[in-house]
Amino acid sequence: MRARVSWTLVLAAFLTLPPFQRDRVEEMGFGEIFRIERMRVDPTLTQALRSRWDGEANAFAFPWGHMIPSLEDVSRITGLSVYGKAVSGYTYPCYHDIAERLLDLPVERRSSLVPRIALQESLGLYEAGKKAGESEDEYLERLARVSRRELASEPGPQADLDLRRFLVLFLGRLLFATRGDAVHCHFLPLLADLGEVGGYASGAAFLAHQFDCLSASDRQTSTSGFYPFLQVWAYLHLPALGRGELTRPGLVPIARRWESRRDSRHLVDQLERLQEAIDSYPYLNVVWQSYLGEGDEGQPWLAQARPYFGRSVWLHALNLVLPLNLFLTQRSLGLRQSVVEFPVWDRFRRPGRSFRGLHDTTDWWERARE
């Protein structure tokens, strides 16, 4: 399923929730995501950025030096929480029993995947395929109109079941999306106690997931995860590329301000021109500190997040434990740093990664303790 269609599907599921459930999603720290306008996917920009990713340093290696998306970028662009408990815990080779207990939905034996159709129908979304010639707004309208299942209208066990199903769809098809149609349920054990969900540093886990997606082969053109983050990051730090359009200045989080600029050229031509633009990008036009003029108004999540800005830390997302090496980008911290010359893009293609299965029950709190 295409990334923007997944976004519309998850948004429709959110809108079908009764008001008290939407309030619970807000309290968990996910509400700002649903205020962001559905942005066009820019696969050319994503692929150009992926080709510059240094998987060993977890940083972009541009001609002028390393640049790294940071926790401040996540907090200001998406509104996700970057403080709290690490998103860590157990992963299992099979989620059949857990899904049956917490979701009351079928999961095949020896699998960690929930069928997407069964999951969305449990939330009242039937006939959810996007029709030919249907616009995104028409698609969203139709999904809301055909919702045929009445969700629990007051707190209780059934309401908790509905909310867990929604969160699995949201996490597995939007925030931590992977390729394929089924929905993974690696985060399901963390949803057993819904009162604890808001205490996790979901934004830090999201950044780890972004780093992992960027390390995929640059032959992969589809976008995994919440794609507006990287697009807006590039609009802010590399404005001379001209890939974004500031249409709603002043809104927060910052992703609400931007729209992807249309480009009618063939994707191959777009990519070649964009790679050349990065190779010849004027060093003085690189914006190292994008938020110097930004206030905190309307962004209460920034107060608790600020102590984590500018720190080199470990990012946890269950089996992903990746370093945030901000020491490589001193200029983003307002410090002096020499320009490090890198060779221009050499059109070298990294080999694809094989799927890394989770074949054993693993306690990532214990394994990543050091």
Side-chain angles (χ1 to χ4, degrees), residues 3-13 38 136 139-140 143:
R4 194 171 179 183
V5 176
S6 287
W7 190 351
T8 304
L9 180 66
V10 173
L11 178 57
R38 284 162 292 147
E136 295 294 333
Y139 178 46
L140 180 60
L143 286 178

Side-chain angles (χ1 to χ4, degrees), residues 68 70 72 288-290 292 308-312 325-337:
I68 305 175
S70 68
E72 183 170 13
W288 292 92
Q289 295 177 281
S290 299
L292 288 180
Y308 296 89
F309 297 167
R311 292 176 57 184
S312 292
N325 296 319
L326 287 186
F327 63 86
L328 293 174
T329 59
Q330 297 293 309
R331 291 185 66 180
S332 67
L333 307 177
L335 304 174
R336 293 175 62 86
Q337 180 174 336

Side-chain angles (χ1 to χ4, degrees), residues 21 38 62 71 76 85 102 147 150 156 174 229 245 260 344 358:
Q21 293 280 53
R38 284 162 292 147
F62 291 119
L71 292 176
R76 288 192 178 272
K85 293 185 295 185
L102 295 180
S147 177
E150 189 72 28
L174 188 63
F229 171 70
E245 190 172 357
S260 175
V344 296
L358 303 174

Side-chain angles (χ1 to χ4, degrees), residues 100-120:
E100 195 172 71
R101 176 168 54 89
L102 295 180
L103 296 179
D104 193 22
L105 288 175
V107 171
E108 291 183 9
R109 291 284 179 185
R110 306 296 299 174
S111 175
S112 62
L113 301 176
V114 179
R116 177 179 59 82
I117 301 298
L119 182 58
Q120 68 194 31

Side-chain angles (χ1 to χ4, degrees), residues 207-340:
L207 190 57
H209 180 72
Q210 291 288 299
F211 286 1
D212 188 54
C213 291
L214 284 165
S215 297
S217 167
D218 59 4
R219 290 174 293 181
Q220 179 181 317
T221 58
S222 59
T223 305
S224 297
F226 189 60
Y227 62 86
F229 171 70
L230 277 181
Q231 292 183 194
V232 174
W233 182 89
Y235 304 158
L236 294 171
H237 293 275
L238 307 174
L241 293 179
R243 301 299 293 188
E245 190 172 357
L246 185 63
T247 57
R248 296 171 291 273
L251 295 183
V252 291
I254 289 175
R256 296 179 66 192
R257 305 176 185 178
W258 291 88
E259 183 53 85
S260 175
R261 186 164 286 160
R262 291 186 181 275
D263 192 334
S264 58
R265 294 172 298 182
H266 191 277
L267 288 177
V268 174
D269 184 41
Q270 285 187 51
L271 182 59
E272 184 174 344
R273 289 173 181 267
L274 188 55
Q275 296 286 15
E276 291 171 355
I278 293 175
D279 285 339
S280 59
Y281 196 91
Y283 294 2
L284 294 179
N285 287 351
V286 176
V287 180
W288 292 92
Q289 295 177 281
S290 299
Y291 312 114
L292 288 180
E294 289 284 339
D296 294 355
E297 296 80 12
Q299 303 168 88
W301 60 88
L302 290 179
Q304 290 177 285
R306 195 171 296 283
Y308 296 89
F309 297 167
R311 292 176 57 184
S312 292
V313 297
W314 289 93
L315 305 172
H316 292 253
L318 294 179
N319 61 307
L320 291 177
V321 185
L322 302 174
L324 176 60
N325 296 319
L326 287 186
F327 63 86
L328 293 174
T329 59
Q330 297 293 309
R331 291 185 66 180
S332 67
L333 307 177
L335 304 174
R336 293 175 62 86
Q337 180 174 336
S338 301
V339 171
V340 180

